[in-house]
Amino acid sequence: MIIDGKKTSQDILEELSEQIKKHQGSRAPCLAYILVGEYEASHLYVKRKVQACERVGINVKGNVFEESVCQKQILELIHGLNLDPTVDGILVQMPLPSHINAQQIVEAVSPQKDVDGFHPFNIGRLLLGYTPFFVPCTPLGIHELLMRSNIQVSHKNVVIMGRSNIVGKPLAALLMQKTSQTNATVTVVHSHTSNLEEITLNADVLITAMGSPELVKAHMVKKGAIVIDVGINRLHGKLVGDVDFKNVEPQASQITPVPGGVGPMTIAMLLSNTLKSYQMKAQLT
Ligand code: NAP
């Protein structure tokens, strides 16, 4: 069975839109983004995020810089956005050019406006099992997709392929949380893992986030496993995941497609985090 991330994300956008309508009369939630340089994929991702915001009624403030921008200019902008009471979320579209210190930029964003969930304060809280202000959007979207597909990870072996700071690591931290909706037994593999197949074959839920087109073949997947493909790759001009979908699908009980799986969920969670930030502020004032 195919897990339809597109449909689920659209349901979530409808729900967000309804919630935002209830706040009519006060200002709308607002997401500020920072986009640097000409990298085509980044422009495309931001465009999709802006379109989704417009659809649900979230205002957007765009801040676009040329590739040559210096660290200080971005930091000054972030400091201003941190203090701006009309801005709920700050998104810094990655990657940044190599002359920019991305870590310093991420750390400059107020943890309370860090709707991407990348600030060490939020990541640290997630790891410690304290409530972060925000959980990173892709891990959060994967968990939401699993829950809305009635897939429990408690008592299951979950294998995550990839240990990046934006997907693998926070996803492992999220799924191993001590709650009835998580409680997974998590194994993380990476490019230095020996006996990869032995580990993936033990997965009840296999989540791939490597950026390696169609690396996961049918013989690496246990019969009846749930397969969540985070990868977005171009192969012979076509968009594909990290999973050889055609051959793995008959082996899996449920599987996400690429495109139309995790990708739209990531955007939905960015909007959900922005609304959460807005609602947190409303409770404070
Ligand atoms: P990343 O930072 O490049 O990390 C890739 C991870 O995969 C690394 O931990 C790497 O191991 C591991 N890896 C690479 N090749 C491997 C192999 N042959 N066997 C085992 N592990 C391997 O990537 P990322 O930012 O997490 O993104 C991963 C993929 O997800 C990309 O295709 C990206 O476009 C996609 N993505 C999709 C979404 C979405 O919303 N759908 C969001 C974010 C990312 P090492 O650590 O040892 O190098």
Side-chain angles (χ1 to χ4, degrees), residues 45 137-138 161-168 188-193 196 208-212 215 229-233 240-242 261-267:
Y45 289 141
C137 301
T138 303
M161 304 183 80
R163 57 175 168 181
S164 73
N165 289 342
I166 61 166
V167 188
V188 179
V189 302
H190 47 76
S191 68
H192 296 262
T193 302
L196 205 61
T208 64
M210 294 174 288
S212 300
L215 179 129
D229 191 352
V230 185
I232 303 174
N233 314 290
V240 299
D242 291 342
V262 174
M265 291 300 293
T266 297
I267 295 181

Side-chain angles (χ1 to χ4, degrees), residues 2-7 145 256-265:
I2 293 175
I3 301 173
D4 190 344
K6 196 171 172 193
K7 163 84 176 66
L145 189 58
T256 58
V258 177
V262 174
M265 291 300 293

